Amino acid sequence: MKLKIIGTGSKGNAYLLENEEEALLIECGVNIKEIKKAIDFNVSKIVGCIVTHEHNDHAKSIKEVMSAGIDVYASYGTHGTCKTLNKSRTNIILEGYPRMIGNFNVLAFKINHDASEPLGFLINHRETGNVLFLTDTFYSNYTFKGLNNIIIEANYSKEIIKEKLSEKEFLKDRIFQSHMSIDTCLEFLNANDLSKVNNIVLIHLSDGNSNEVQFKEAVENQTGKSVYVASNGMEIEFNKTPF
Amino acid sequence: MSTQVQKVGENAFKAILGRINSLQKESGLTLPANYSAENAVRSAWLVLQETKDMSKRPVLEVCSKESIANALLKMVVMGLNPIKRQCSFIAYGGKLELQREYQGSIALAKRFGMKEVVANVVYEGDDFAIAIDVNGRTKVTKHIQSFESLGGNILGAYAVVTLDDDTVNTEVMTIEQIKASWNQGASKGNSPAHKNFPDQMAKKTVINRALKTIINSSDDGDLLEDKYSEISAVEEHVEYEIKENANKQEIGFEDEIDEVEENTVEELETKQEKEEEIETAGPGY
């Protein structure tokens, strides 16, 4: 299995878990063309698209994805706000109830973001094992069993944000209440059993309020795992083990 | 509100009054003249029953007993009363804090020798001039206002404080400074009051700043320090919520896995793979 990063960050998020036979699209916050290009225009290979919440950088092309014949899985709140409740490709995913999408088993859980019923996903596939996809949440209520791969937001560092946004209280407060700081991310990783984790991918780094090198180093030092900072166009081997 | 909370409240209420009494007797704590500590503490209890934190939970449930007692003690030492809107209570990260309000600042400043405070708003088109005298005091030397300019574009505001010995202090703020001050508040200057009555709010702000100097330079200034302006309430709240709720419950697939397999068309094959996985992935899968 490969993880392809089509887009990451507040300008647009879309990720592909792809092997020879099938692919799962996670988020569709980029132009549909970029999604098609990333899968070599073999759209029928995509077994489904899961969307965490309705904000544009995550759901921009939700309707186009449906028009391309892809089933979209999101919460009732997300579909409601996107006005996609009554489409033929609409699937409501409920927290706590796993759904099979192709050979991907997807368990949704609630996250803490200023959106309508936002979700995080635990994805199981025989090649990847348990993959956590956690973004746009200022913390996680949960820890997860038997993780093999982690895709997690590390949006900002408190020190940087305080310096850069000292004048913009409103924006600063909004970020505090909707995105994950590197410190909270580290605490989360510390609270989980990482013994079987192969890769940790840091996503959704803020353009201005983060430091890629520092974040990567901090997570590497704490976990001893292979850590990637996602960037557009990146491809990562994404299996249970490195071999 | 549960009866348990009320009970806790009643006990804490007695405890705080007891503590104030003993402080008065043993440590020589003096309260302001004409101030009834018992009335104020009773009033505070009424107010506290209705006060909620940012998550809409009653503060009496979420705040530590010590912080409630300390907030009340601070209120009594300052001689403030919440019913007269001289102070209010705010929960910051599981702690109750006392915040001095505008009316409270005036009450305190009067106690510390202020005779009078007057504030005016400077509008665009006003003939306004300030000067600094040899003692370094700012003075408004000229302020001519036309009726037409009232309610127009606000350029700033000033407050003139007259003390008992007839010393006059003047505090002048530009609208930028005033707005920066509003930005420190919970509503960031976006409340209906700020939007609809910016002149009144500007006056309040400049008066507050003028009074702060008097209050904090008084003998008991250290008791009354205003630490709230430096703390972001949101930041405190976020930290508290993370501490309380983060990473608390473990979830995974194993509990629901049977149900999933019943629902899917994938049959024996995946089932076998799942079983293999369970063996290799260990008990945590």
Side-chain angles (χ1 to χ4, degrees):
Chain A
M1 189 76 71
K2 270 186 182 161
L3 173 70
K4 276 189 185 169
I5 290 142
I6 309 172
T8 185
S10 54
K11 289 203 182 85
N13 291 274
Y15 310 84
L16 262 182
L17 278 175
E18 184 188 4
N19 66 10
E20 298 289 309
E21 297 94 44
E22 59 184 345
L24 179 70
L25 177 62
I26 310 172
E27 314 280 42
C28 53
V30 298
N31 202 300
I32 185 75
K33 278 184 198 156
E34 291 178 54
I35 297 172
K36 287 181 177 167
K37 213 165 103 186
I39 194 123
D40 271 336
F41 300 93
N42 188 5
V43 178
S44 60
K45 200 175 166 187
I46 301 178
V47 291
C49 170
I50 52 178
V51 176
T52 57
H53 66 290
E54 70 272 15
H55 291 161
N56 229 7
D57 57 330
H58 295 260
K60 182 182 174 186
S61 52
I62 188 166
K63 286 177 186 159
E64 288 87 342
V65 167
M66 287 178 171
S67 304
I70 301 168
D71 275 326
V72 175
Y73 299 77
S75 71
Y76 187 85
T78 303
H79 276 305
T81 327
C82 288
K83 302 207 167 55
T84 47
L85 271 176
N86 301 314
K87 309 266 180 187
S88 60
R89 295 291 176 182
T90 301
N91 294 271
I92 308 278
I93 193 161
L94 299 172
E95 58 181 85
Y97 292 90
R99 282 287 281 271
M100 284 305 289
I101 304 172
N103 288 311
F104 297 91
N105 197 0
V106 176
L107 174 68
F109 52 89
K110 67 161 196 221
I111 56 171
N112 304 293
H113 192 58
D114 53 353
S116 173
E117 273 187 81
L119 297 174
F121 300 113
L122 185 63
I123 304 157
N124 181 273
H125 187 280
R126 58 180 178 271
E127 289 176 25
T128 59
N130 287 322
V131 180
L132 176 70
F133 185 82
L134 187 66
T135 189
D136 289 60
T137 181
F138 67 101
Y139 68 92
S140 166
N141 295 82
Y142 307 109
T143 58
F144 300 87
K145 285 175 199 164
L147 289 175
N148 301 105
N149 287 290
I150 298 175
I151 306 168
I152 187 170
E153 165 177 44
N155 187 275
Y156 69 93
S157 125
K158 244 187 190 173
E159 287 73 38
I160 301 176
I161 214 173
K162 281 196 167 166
E163 198 181 304
K164 293 244 170 129
L165 296 183
S166 60
E167 304 282 298
K168 297 177 181 161
E169 286 283 327
F170 177 79
L171 183 60
K172 191 167 69 184
D173 287 348
R174 199 236 142 198
I175 294 172
F176 282 158
Q177 292 175 95
S178 57
H179 286 282
M180 191 178 282
S181 72
I182 181 67
D183 292 332
T184 308
C185 173
L186 287 168
E187 267 168 46
F188 169 81
L189 292 171
N190 197 30
N192 280 271
D193 175 9
L194 302 183
S195 58
K196 295 199 170 56
V197 168
N198 187 15
N199 300 298
I200 298 175
V201 183
L202 304 178
I203 59 167
H204 214 311
L205 273 74
S206 152
D207 285 341
N209 306 322
S210 65
N211 180 325
E212 203 181 309
V213 180
Q214 244 178 41
F215 285 15
K216 182 170 189 269
E217 222 175 71
V219 178
E220 268 170 356
N221 288 346
Q222 185 183 300
T223 63
K225 303 286 173 183
S226 56
V227 178
Y228 300 85
V229 173
S231 61
N232 295 0
M234 190 185 244
E235 278 185 32
I236 303 166
E237 287 293 334
F238 222 58
N239 296 311
K240 254 196 249 185
T241 63
F243 314 107
Chain B
M1 182 141 328
S2 67
T3 47
Q4 201 194 350
V5 172
Q6 263 168 356
K7 213 171 174 183
V8 171
E10 199 55 36
N11 287 341
F13 166 71
K14 279 180 188 147
I16 182 82
L17 275 183
R19 192 165 158 202
I20 291 163
N21 278 332
S22 71
L23 279 174
Q24 276 181 299
K25 277 180 200 140
E26 288 155 27
S27 332
L29 171 77
T30 34
L31 297 178
N34 310 323
Y35 177 76
S36 159
E38 185 157 348
N39 280 356
V41 174
R42 279 200 187 278
S43 311
W45 271 115
L46 292 176
V47 172
L48 283 176
Q49 314 272 340
E50 303 290 319
T51 310
K52 303 224 160 72
D53 75 353
M54 289 178 86
S55 311
K56 310 265 179 268
R57 290 175 301 177
V59 293
L60 289 179
E61 273 175 27
V62 290
C63 292
S64 69
K65 258 199 240 169
E66 292 74 22
S67 72
I68 296 175
N70 281 334
L72 289 174
L73 187 65
K74 204 169 162 189
M75 172 192 82
V76 169
V77 171
M78 285 205 242
L80 299 176
N81 190 324
I83 293 245
K84 295 179 184 165
R85 294 190 182 268
Q86 293 172 340
C87 58
S88 59
F89 298 96
I90 295 180
Y92 281 122
K95 281 187 190 155
L96 192 70
E97 295 278 8
L98 181 81
Q99 180 157 12
R100 191 174 71 228
E101 294 294 337
Y102 172 71
Q103 306 290 358
S105 295
I106 293 189
L108 275 182
K110 281 191 173 158
R111 220 173 277 147
F112 296 137
M114 180 185 76
K115 202 151 81 180
E116 189 186 41
V117 59
V118 187
N120 280 306
V121 173
V122 183
Y123 293 99
E124 205 171 83
D126 285 6
D127 192 0
F128 179 70
I130 51 174
I132 295 167
D133 71 8
V134 286
N135 298 318
R137 288 182 201 275
T138 306
K139 261 191 179 142
V140 174
T141 51
K142 191 184 193 185
H143 188 189
I144 298 167
Q145 203 161 44
S146 72
F147 183 71
E148 285 74 31
S149 71
L150 293 183
N153 222 353
I154 299 174
L155 298 183
Y158 61 92
V160 181
V161 177
T162 314
L163 302 180
D164 281 342
D165 60 1
D166 288 327
T167 325
V168 176
N169 284 327
T170 308
E171 188 76 42
V172 185
M173 289 173 88
T174 66
I175 189 68
E176 285 76 25
Q177 289 173 308
I178 291 168
K179 282 187 173 158
S181 163
W182 291 353
N183 236 330
Q184 301 278 331
S187 68
K188 316 279 173 223
N190 291 322
S191 76
H194 287 94
K195 287 199 158 146
N196 298 329
F197 309 104
D199 54 331
Q200 293 298 316
M201 298 311 275
K203 281 187 189 176
K204 265 190 170 181
T205 304
V206 73
I207 288 179
N208 253 331
R209 179 178 277 197
L211 299 186
K212 211 163 158 184
T213 322
I214 303 174
I215 294 167
N216 289 357
S217 63
S218 72
D219 295 342
D220 289 322
D222 59 316
L223 280 175
L224 315 161
E225 70 182 299
D226 223 335
K227 70 176 210 176
Y228 314 101
S229 53
E230 286 121 50
I231 303 173
S232 154
V234 171
E235 194 187 332
E236 285 263 323
H237 179 72
V238 163
E239 269 174 23
Y240 176 70
E241 201 178 322
I242 291 176
K243 208 177 91 199
E244 288 285 291
N245 302 330
N247 314 323
K248 285 286 190 279
Q249 190 193 342
E250 191 181 53
I251 57 172
F253 278 109
E254 74 181 0
D255 301 330
E256 298 90 352
I257 219 141
D258 290 341
E259 193 186 79
V260 175
E261 284 179 0
E262 274 168 25
N263 292 342
T264 53
V265 208
E266 315 274 328
E267 285 180 3
L268 217 73
E269 208 181 278
T270 34
K271 212 163 194 173
Q272 271 171 355
E273 276 158 10
K274 286 263 155 61
E275 275 162 13
E276 275 166 32
E277 270 177 16
I278 288 168
E279 273 167 32
T280 49
Y285 168 70

